[in-house]
Amino acid sequence: MKPVEIKDGIFWVGAIDWDERDFHNFTTRRGLTYNSYLIVDENVTLVDTVKHKSVRESLDRIKKVVDPSQIDYIIVNHIEPDHSSGLPDMMRIAKEATIVCTQRAKDGLCKYCDCDGWDIRVVKGGDELKIGKRTLTFIDMTMLHWPDSMATYLKEDKLLLSNDAFGQHVASEERFDEDIGIEEALYWAKLYYANILMPLAGLIKKKLAEVQKLNLEIDMIAPSHGVIWKNPAKIIEAYSKWAEFESENKVVIVFDSMWHSTEKLAMAIADGAGSEGAEVRVFHLRKDSWADIVTEILDAKSIAIGSPTIHNSIFPPVAGFLTYLKGLKPQKKRALAFGSYGWNGVAVKEIQKVLEELKFETLEPLMVKFKPSEEELQKAFELGAELAK
Ligand code: FEO
């Protein structure tokens, strides 16, 4: 349980949650970390706390640097419980600490926790806090990704403590992008972005432009999850690309099936897309994780979604996935709804409705009765090719 000194006098004192496999329905197949940072200065300052179950681990790390009862400030960049549920335990030890957060964070904290007796200082974007030789500047991050969110910048250290932004859900012993590998870090960041930040693309573009105007010198970004970016330009560039929905030559096919008919269509669509040279990804909704699927959708140019009709309705796993997808608001795709039916092709119509709500450019939906004929499989192939063009 060693702390890691990330800059002179600044320590990672978070926790590694190797076992967690679910983050509000986001499958975290490699676990995750809750990052917390301790700044040793005239005023000892802790930036962000950890999830309740990991407080002991974080405290063990803090104790190797300072006596936690001597913490003067606890900066709460964001109140979602993966960060704030450990705060009450921390406040029982750091009794004299002043909590620093936005007004919305204060309001939320006092709903989540009993904040009676807590000294809470409210700050807003642009406010500064001198803690000795260092000055903390707070950056407004409203709705990135909660109303209370902010980030903390240390100008003397050129360090941005960005909270959820630029994070990744991956548990690792490595603390830096270079140690886990930049490509690997970017992969986990993409998974995180697709499942948490994708609906906020417009705000992200705006915020990136705003922060650029501030001309902050940043040589390290330390988020509240995953590894720390010693190469901040890499992740900023990736965010710019994801926020624009820049696409690869890739077609993603997502389906579920009762008696293999919708599956046969999915495979024919995949063959067709492949015949045009596109990269093809095929996902079965009861075998693959939704988190992985939406990550591939993020930068796909086209998608196809297939479902059989059951009980005069859409197949439940497909309905659940469509709800998830709708919330994440992917943009700029060509799309196809397809599936088989026995009496009434309700499922395909339901999928088509969602694709239109997402403002995708849709192809004529493909519905087949019972089992696809050779002609219908040929039609599916042609539609796959069309998606890839
Ligand atoms: Fe890491 Fe929005 O919580």
Side-chain angles (χ1 to χ4, degrees):
M1 302 284 171
K2 282 189 185 155
V4 177
E5 191 164 17
I6 65 165
K7 291 239 175 197
D8 280 351
I10 303 175
F11 298 83
W12 174 83
V13 289
I16 308 171
D17 194 346
W18 293 100
D19 290 339
E20 186 63 69
R21 291 292 175 269
D22 177 81
F23 185 84
H24 56 53
N25 196 50
F26 168 174
T27 307
T28 50
R29 61 185 144 80
R30 276 272 304 267
L32 66 152
T33 72
Y34 313 106
N35 297 342
S36 177
Y37 299 97
L38 185 72
I39 308 167
V40 181
D41 208 313
E42 279 168 38
N43 298 123
V44 176
T45 301
L46 185 68
V47 179
D48 292 323
T49 45
V50 300
K51 195 173 178 178
H52 179 253
K53 66 175 179 178
S54 298
V55 169
R56 183 177 293 271
E57 184 181 331
S58 175
L59 267 173
D60 281 349
R61 292 196 165 93
I62 295 171
K63 282 178 188 164
K64 292 193 169 77
V65 185
V66 295
D67 172 353
S69 69
Q70 302 303 307
I71 292 171
D72 297 294
Y73 290 110
I74 299 181
I75 313 297
V76 175
N77 279 320
H78 174 37
I79 61 166
E80 194 165 5
D82 53 317
H83 308 286
S84 69
S85 60
L87 183 62
D89 278 352
M90 197 57 77
M91 287 302 285
R92 274 187 273 280
I93 295 164
K95 289 185 172 50
E96 304 301 319
T98 297
I99 291 169
V100 180
C101 63
T102 63
Q103 181 63 53
R104 288 191 182 107
K106 180 180 175 184
D107 297 343
L109 273 181
C110 294
K111 289 282 283 179
Y112 275 128
C113 326
D114 175 6
C115 64
D116 264 5
W118 289 1
D119 177 24
I120 304 182
R121 183 181 301 180
V122 169
V123 291
K124 55 184 184 337
D127 285 357
E128 293 187 339
L129 175 69
K130 194 113 183 87
I131 58 166
K133 62 178 197 261
R134 294 181 178 83
T135 307
L136 311 186
T137 306
F138 303 107
I139 299 174
D140 175 68
M141 297 286 276
T142 304
M143 286 317 296
L144 289 169
H145 70 129
W146 274 25
D148 56 280
S149 298
M150 67 175 191
T152 300
Y153 173 64
L154 283 75
K155 62 181 166 198
E156 295 81 2
D157 301 280
K158 302 179 184 172
L159 171 65
L160 179 66
L161 301 171
S162 59
N163 194 261
D164 280 345
F166 311 119
Q168 327 98 52
H169 277 338
V170 59
S172 67
E173 278 298 323
E174 295 85 0
R175 296 275 67 81
F176 296 101
D177 53 356
E178 291 170 353
D179 299 335
I180 198 171
I182 304 272
E183 286 310 310
E184 172 97 1
L186 285 170
Y187 167 75
W188 292 108
K190 181 179 170 190
L191 191 86
Y192 182 96
Y193 178 95
N195 285 275
I196 293 183
L197 299 172
M198 181 154 46
L200 308 169
L203 279 173
I204 288 168
K205 276 192 273 185
K206 220 170 115 191
K207 187 54 67 179
L208 286 173
E210 258 176 56
V211 172
Q212 223 156 22
K213 272 193 204 153
L214 295 175
N215 276 324
L216 305 179
E217 278 188 281
I218 297 172
D219 69 13
M220 185 182 285
I221 295 179
S224 58
H225 300 289
V227 295
I228 295 162
W229 300 97
K230 279 186 178 173
N231 298 271
K234 293 274 182 197
I235 186 63
I236 290 171
E237 187 193 345
Y239 264 49
S240 307
K241 188 176 135 197
W242 296 332
E244 291 291 351
F245 290 93
E246 275 183 26
S247 63
E248 305 288 334
N249 183 21
K250 178 170 63 174
V251 177
V252 174
I253 298 150
V254 184
F255 76 98
D256 209 323
S257 200
M258 286 169 67
W259 296 107
H260 304 291
S261 294
T262 303
E263 180 183 334
K264 285 190 173 81
L265 293 175
M267 300 311 156
I269 294 165
D271 276 352
S275 74
E276 288 293 327
E279 191 186 332
V280 178
R281 295 276 183 276
V282 180
F283 294 102
H284 185 293
L285 279 167
R286 278 175 293 156
K287 295 179 185 167
D288 295 304
S289 105
W290 291 2
D292 287 334
I293 300 172
V294 299
T295 304
E296 292 295 340
I297 287 177
L298 171 66
D299 59 359
K301 67 176 178 185
S302 297
I303 66 169
I305 301 182
S307 174
T309 291
I310 185 169
H311 308 314
N312 208 26
S313 185
I314 190 166
F315 206 51
V318 185
F321 177 73
L322 285 175
T323 302
Y324 190 56
L325 189 68
K326 237 177 11 172
L328 291 173
K329 299 186 179 66
Q331 296 176 26
K332 302 182 185 173
K333 313 287 172 206
R334 300 184 81 201
L336 169 71
F338 68 96
S340 71
Y341 66 98
W343 299 263
N344 190 342
V346 172
V348 174
K349 290 178 194 156
E350 291 290 317
I351 296 169
Q352 178 69 13
K353 211 163 89 184
V354 172
L355 299 179
E356 285 172 7
E357 277 174 37
L358 285 166
K359 299 190 170 40
F360 292 165
E361 180 195 334
T362 57
L363 306 188
E364 188 66 28
L366 176 64
M367 280 191 264
V368 308
K369 193 171 171 70
F370 297 131
K371 185 182 162 189
S373 63
E374 282 308 313
E375 291 73 29
E376 285 164 332
L377 287 174
Q378 178 59 29
K379 178 72 187 161
F381 180 93
E382 285 162 13
L383 285 166
E386 187 61 32
L387 284 174
K389 278 177 188 162

